[in-house]
Amino acid sequence: MIYLDSNATTQVAPVVLDAMLPYLRECYANPSASYRSARKVKSAVETARQQVATLIGAERTEEVMFTSCGTESINAVHASVRSLWPDRPGLIITGTEHSAVIESAKRWRESGGRVEVVPVCPSGRVDLAALEKALASGDVGLVSIMWANNETGVIAPMREIVQMAHAVGALVHSDAVQAVGKIAVNVQDVPVDFLSLSGHKIHAPKGIGGLYVSRKVRFRALLVGGGQEMNRRSGTENVAGIVALGAAALLAMDGHGNRKLRDRFEEQILASIKDVRVWGDQENRLPNTSCLSLLGVDAAGLLILLDKAGVCCSAGSACHTASLHPSHVLEAMGVSVVDAASMLRFSFSRFNSIEDVDTAADALIRSVKKLRVLNDESAGPVAFS
Ligand code: PLP
């Protein structure tokens, strides 16, 4: 299998698995208990917190809390801001956010708040002039904009966004689930108030997430109960997951990105097939993400042929592949439904090799040619349903 779907999830790195296994085997004490073995577990949790804090440049370790996933972190931030600042009912998001942000924005609206979806430019980057206009309403409590897009890899101008939002007293949350570990993300350089991250995108297992909350802002827990995580997220800690996230953070610190693989892949595709579009801002794109449309070819058919060739990639984000609706991200960028219907996303990781890239590129080139011949022999492009 050639796995080129690392924005959907990643394999657990061997070093991460080694780090977490003791916490599933012998070190199973509840970190809240007082005996020695529990104190050892508690200390492992705090080490992991330090590792994550270092990865994102948090000034203080206690600004990092652990959650069950990126989705929980996002929901927790939105719910907290909505309840603590009722006199600031405005929420700004963009049209290219992940469904975790979009759906939680619906909750914001249901609770009587106002949601404004700011447009993105054809490059996929937020339209800063539109953002400025939206912020002028004066009632915006939170700007929630992703650091990097899961489908196109487009990186947001977070520094400018933070400056503009803070200038009018709005808080900023960034869904950095796809950015952390792939590009430099530093919350002191770019002083967001909240930042969400997720373990399974950076070679930790599924079921562990992180949330940065600046010590300068108030936070109200989404889950209440035993008061774990400094009273910010109750529930007995997923210790093995937390240790894994710490180990994954350490791994991510040894260098970012694998642009060479992505560039090699795109060069081969562009040199061998005509009518290919690479979506997203070319300068500001995650180094591991390639979002392409093979014009006139249905992505669903390509997915089947690539799967047969042992290549895993996706059409849009993972949660969309079951329904294969054209990507809302490309739609927001102004891409036509027809062009969006031929979009595939390839996302690489540190565990891919040059051979993986070459084999996958070859499989894609053959598949596109095959389907284009079939299309020519039939009535034209296969319609996207
Ligand atoms: N935000 C983005 C940009 C994502 O890509 C994902 C996962 O695909 C999430 C949020 C949700 O993260 P999790 O799967 O940890 O809930």
Side-chain angles (χ1 to χ4, degrees):
M1 171 177 90
I2 298 175
Y3 187 76
L4 302 182
D5 203 15
S6 290
N7 285 8
T9 196
T10 56
Q11 73 175 83
V12 176
V15 63
V16 170
L17 188 62
D18 288 348
M20 73 185 285
L21 278 179
Y23 297 90
L24 291 171
R25 289 192 178 125
E26 58 271 21
C27 306
Y28 50 79
N30 188 321
S32 297
S34 56
Y35 30 84
R36 212 176 323 146
S37 60
R39 290 204 299 274
K40 186 179 166 198
V41 173
K42 174 87 182 140
S43 147
V45 168
E46 294 316 314
T47 301
R49 199 185 308 282
Q50 179 66 63
Q51 288 162 330
V52 175
T54 305
L55 178 65
I56 61 169
E59 195 182 337
R60 299 211 190 143
T61 309
E62 62 271 19
E63 290 176 312
V64 172
M65 59 187 255
F66 296 109
T67 64
S68 67
C69 58
T71 300
E72 183 192 324
S73 300
I74 291 163
N75 276 268
V77 170
H78 289 192
S80 172
V81 176
R82 181 74 192 108
S83 72
L84 291 176
W85 285 277
D87 52 333
R88 286 277 196 150
L91 168 67
I92 292 179
I93 64 171
T94 75
T96 58
E97 298 304 313
H98 186 269
S99 50
V101 167
I102 295 172
E103 293 303 315
S104 125
K106 286 184 190 161
R107 288 275 166 95
W108 181 290
R109 192 180 284 127
E110 280 162 19
S111 73
R114 187 180 68 77
V115 177
E116 186 152 356
V117 181
V118 165
V120 297
C121 304
S123 67
R125 296 193 108 201
V126 59
D127 179 339
L128 289 176
L131 176 63
E132 180 142 50
K133 216 168 144 197
L135 284 166
S137 66
D139 73 345
V140 176
L142 183 67
V143 174
S144 188
I145 294 185
M146 67 202 322
W147 203 298
N149 186 270
N150 45 308
E151 294 185 20
T152 59
V154 168
I155 299 167
M158 283 313 304
R159 197 184 300 276
E160 287 89 332
I161 292 168
V162 170
Q163 275 168 3
M164 289 164 70
H166 283 176
V168 297
L171 297 170
V172 180
H173 163 249
S174 188
D175 165 3
V177 163
Q178 293 292 346
V180 167
K182 295 176 187 158
I183 53 171
V185 169
N186 186 301
V187 293
Q188 286 185 72
D189 288 351
V190 181
V192 291
D193 301 290
F194 309 97
L195 178 140
S196 300
L197 59 103
S198 176
H200 75 104
K201 310 291 186 180
I202 58 167
H203 303 293
K206 294 152 195 66
I208 182 68
L211 175 58
Y212 163 83
V213 180
S214 163
R215 65 180 191 288
K216 295 174 192 148
V217 295
R218 285 187 298 145
F219 180 77
R220 186 164 190 258
L222 183 65
L223 298 187
V224 289
Q228 289 90 344
E229 290 297 284
M230 304 154 282
N231 240 337
R232 296 181 150 191
R233 201 275 181 184
S234 287
T236 303
E237 296 87 339
N238 169 9
V239 175
I242 289 170
V243 170
L245 181 55
L250 205 58
L251 182 67
M253 274 182 271
D254 81 0
H256 293 117
N258 35 52
R259 192 189 157 145
K260 271 193 199 143
L261 298 181
R262 196 268 317 266
D263 289 353
R264 185 182 174 101
F265 179 76
E266 288 184 355
E267 275 159 25
Q268 294 186 46
I269 302 306
L270 291 166
S272 310
I273 327 179
K274 59 180 172 53
D275 296 332
V276 178
R277 296 275 180 285
V278 181
W279 302 118
D281 190 298
Q282 297 303 297
E283 297 296 310
N284 299 287
R285 209 159 44 112
L286 289 177
N288 82 318
T289 306
S290 184
C291 177
L292 311 163
S293 274
L294 298 310
L295 301 183
V297 184
D298 182 16
L302 276 173
L303 275 184
I304 293 168
L305 291 184
L306 288 171
D307 188 24
K308 270 192 175 166
V311 177
C312 305
C313 65
S314 73
S317 61
C319 43
H320 287 168
T321 48
S323 53
L324 278 179
H325 286 304
S327 149
H328 74 282
V329 174
L330 293 192
E331 200 182 351
M333 289 162 63
V335 176
S336 71
V337 174
V338 173
D339 289 353
S342 63
M343 184 271 258
L344 287 182
R345 179 192 67 188
F346 297 85
S347 44
F348 304 86
S349 83
R350 63 173 62 230
F351 294 108
N352 289 125
S353 62
I354 286 181
E355 291 72 40
D356 287 349
V357 169
D358 293 351
T359 311
D362 186 54
L364 179 60
I365 292 163
R366 283 167 191 270
S367 305
V368 171
K369 288 185 174 165
K370 196 168 172 178
L371 288 179
R372 281 192 176 151
V373 168
L374 284 176
N375 286 350
D376 287 347
E377 285 170 359
S378 67
V382 180
F384 186 83
S385 58

